[in-house]
Amino acid sequence: MKKVLMFSVFFLFLSFNLLAQEIKPSVEIFSDFTYDLTDSKKDFNSFNVKRAYFGVSGNFYKNQETKFSLNYKLTLDIAELSDIAKKDKYTVKDDSVSLSGSKYNGYYSEFLKYAYIEIENPFVNGLKIVFGQHNVPWVGYEEKLSGMRWLGPVFSDRVKKLSSTDRGLSLLYGFPKDFGDVHISVVNGEGYNSPDTTKDKDIMLRLSIRPLPFLDYVKGLMLHGYYGYGRANIDGLNNDAEGMRKREIIALSYDHEFVTTMFQLLRSLDGKDTNGNEPVEGNGYAFWIKLKINSLINSNDAGLFFRYESFDPDSKKDSDSSDRIAIAPYYYLVKDKLGLALQFANETFEDSKLETNRQIMFNIIGKY
């Protein structure tokens, strides 16, 4: 399987070189040094490489006059297996290897993160049609707004309610005069590293409105709404979907040269909704703020990043919610190529039997 995947990547890379009008290679590496202050961890510390992205993007055709272009993007995601197992809550099996936790740190596997064709401005300016494995409406949008994905996944991704990419079709349209944009997707619904399990597809919609784009200090204010609905195969016995997968997000964001911030509310429904069953309802909220001191001292991108998240996975259960605070009192990006940050994270649980998780991290990102 690995040989087939590597051959496919090489073949596509060669094809793009021969056919593409433009080509741009890219590399991103997420690494860190983590010192664990959790009582049971006894000062455990480790050097980690959490993620590595290798990609190529560009266009096959571009018309400067009409702004019509046919673009592409291909990205290989190499991730630590233990991190994937903890995120997706399943046991990864490879013949005799049963992956269950952190003792498999250092084992990596490759995934296809992006592989899509994008038609830009096909009928009207501002319209994009995307087919393949690509960003779905919410996670990638929030990541781009904050610019701090290298310090950890965004809220909905971290609590495993949304994936960053999926396979399907999307329509994106930017409203005239910078009043916002809309993104509609029809995708498998299982995320980029899971196969489709039903004949049904998920529908996702994000609408972002900028109410006053013509006023200097208010034009960065935006209202966001996200809705996603799909059918899920709970039992895994056939392709009949006997459960639901529903996500709702309402958010308010503000972007300025000195600060970028967002507050959001998340609601989720998961589980069987047939034969009188009621799906599990989850609720949470998150707030993050990025203070950009580089605007004051005329330096490279530097500042402070703070985030607070609270999530209750089952509103009918007691003692299952958690709260997480993470603060990077200082981060520094050199020409958007090299990033350094000191970060402290503290996660508490409503269940008194669970101990508080505390970590100090030194995060590094390298980009090309």
Side-chain angles (χ1 to χ4, degrees):
M1 181 64 184
K2 289 185 178 180
K3 290 182 178 179
V4 173
L5 181 58
M6 295 305 294
F7 176 78
S8 300
V9 171
F10 174 76
F11 177 77
L12 288 172
F13 181 81
L14 182 62
S15 299
F16 290 160
N17 270 285
L18 294 175
L19 299 176
Q21 190 178 63
E22 294 181 5
I23 183 168
K24 180 182 178 181
S26 63
V27 177
E28 287 188 63
I29 299 174
F30 296 179
S31 60
D32 67 72
F33 172 75
T34 298
Y35 195 96
D36 207 316
L37 301 175
T38 306
D39 292 339
S40 64
K41 299 297 179 63
K42 298 180 179 179
D43 297 325
F44 176 79
N45 60 90
S46 62
F47 293 96
N48 308 293
V49 177
K50 290 295 185 181
R51 221 89 188 186
Y53 296 106
F54 298 90
V56 61
S57 60
N59 59 70
F60 294 114
Y61 174 79
K62 187 173 185 179
N63 188 309
Q64 297 290 350
E65 183 177 350
T66 64
K67 298 182 180 179
F68 172 85
S69 63
L70 181 61
N71 310 316
Y72 65 87
K73 185 171 183 176
L74 174 69
T75 301
L76 191 65
D77 178 1
I78 300 176
E80 195 169 43
L81 281 174
S82 60
D83 188 50
I84 296 168
K86 287 182 288 185
K87 174 183 174 182
D88 293 331
K89 292 185 176 179
Y90 60 75
T91 299
V92 178
K93 294 181 180 180
D94 183 11
D95 296 331
S96 62
V97 177
S98 177
L99 179 66
S100 58
S102 60
K103 76 174 185 176
Y104 288 99
N105 285 355
Y107 284 76
Y108 294 85
S109 184
E110 68 280 351
F111 296 90
L112 199 60
K113 184 65 179 285
Y114 297 107
Y116 65 79
I117 299 295
E118 176 187 83
I119 305 173
E120 188 171 4
N121 302 315
F123 308 111
V124 295
N125 286 337
L127 178 66
K128 293 181 181 179
I129 302 174
V130 188
F131 182 79
Q133 186 161 296
H134 59 283
N135 277 328
V136 286
W138 185 259
V139 174
Y141 180 81
E142 185 181 349
E143 289 176 350
K144 185 177 180 180
L145 182 64
S146 73
M148 304 301 284
R149 169 62 182 88
W150 55 290
L151 296 186
V154 299
F155 175 52
S156 56
D157 189 10
R158 187 184 69 83
V159 297
K160 310 170 188 69
K161 293 304 176 183
L162 286 176
S163 177
S164 57
T165 65
D166 208 331
R167 292 174 285 276
L169 174 69
S170 281
L171 297 178
L172 299 88
Y173 179 69
F175 300 127
K177 298 183 180 180
D178 203 22
F179 272 97
D181 67 289
V182 62
H183 184 168
I184 304 172
S185 295
V186 179
V187 295
N188 289 340
E190 304 297 334
Y192 71 94
N193 57 4
S194 299
D196 197 10
T197 58
T198 73
K199 59 188 177 183
D200 300 274
K201 296 293 172 279
D202 280 33
I203 298 176
M204 303 176 180
L205 167 68
R206 176 186 55 79
L207 176 63
S208 298
I209 299 294
R210 193 186 308 275
L212 298 169
F214 41 82
L215 295 179
D216 284 345
Y217 290 99
V218 190
K219 66 181 181 181
L221 182 68
M222 294 194 75
L223 304 173
H224 312 274
Y226 171 87
Y227 179 83
Y229 181 84
R231 305 295 297 168
N233 186 349
I234 307 298
D235 293 332
L237 300 178
N238 50 54
N239 69 352
D240 292 328
E242 65 279 345
M244 71 157 51
R245 178 171 46 231
K246 187 176 181 180
R247 309 285 184 261
E248 298 169 343
I249 296 175
I250 297 176
L252 178 68
S253 70
Y254 180 71
D255 184 30
H256 189 267
E257 62 176 327
F258 301 116
V259 61
T260 303
T261 185
M262 174 181 278
F263 176 79
Q264 62 182 276
L265 299 172
L266 168 66
R267 178 175 180 259
S268 63
L269 287 171
D270 292 277
K272 289 188 176 182
D273 59 352
T274 56
N275 301 323
N277 294 300
E278 292 186 5
V280 176
E281 180 179 353
N283 291 282
Y285 62 92
F287 168 77
W288 57 259
I289 184 168
K290 180 181 179 181
L291 300 176
K292 297 172 277 191
I293 64 174
N294 56 292
S295 299
L296 301 174
I297 60 177
N298 195 26
S299 71
N300 288 300
D301 189 1
L304 176 147
F305 186 71
F306 171 84
R307 60 191 289 184
Y308 176 80
E309 300 166 352
S310 179
F311 187 67
D312 182 356
D314 189 343
S315 59
K316 292 185 178 180
K317 281 187 178 181
D318 296 328
S319 303
D320 64 338
S321 64
S322 63
D323 298 271
R324 185 176 187 270
I325 294 175
I327 181 170
Y330 187 73
Y331 72 87
Y332 187 75
L333 284 167
V334 182
K335 296 181 179 179
D336 200 34
K337 300 297 182 184
L338 174 67
L340 310 171
L342 179 66
Q343 183 179 193
F344 173 75
N346 186 88
E347 185 174 16
T348 58
F349 302 90
E350 187 180 5
D351 187 349
S352 59
K353 296 179 182 178
L354 299 175
E355 66 177 330
T356 299
N357 290 330
R358 297 187 181 91
Q359 294 177 325
I360 294 177
M361 291 161 279
F362 178 65
N363 298 88
I364 302 176
I365 182 176
K367 299 171 65 178
Y368 172 78

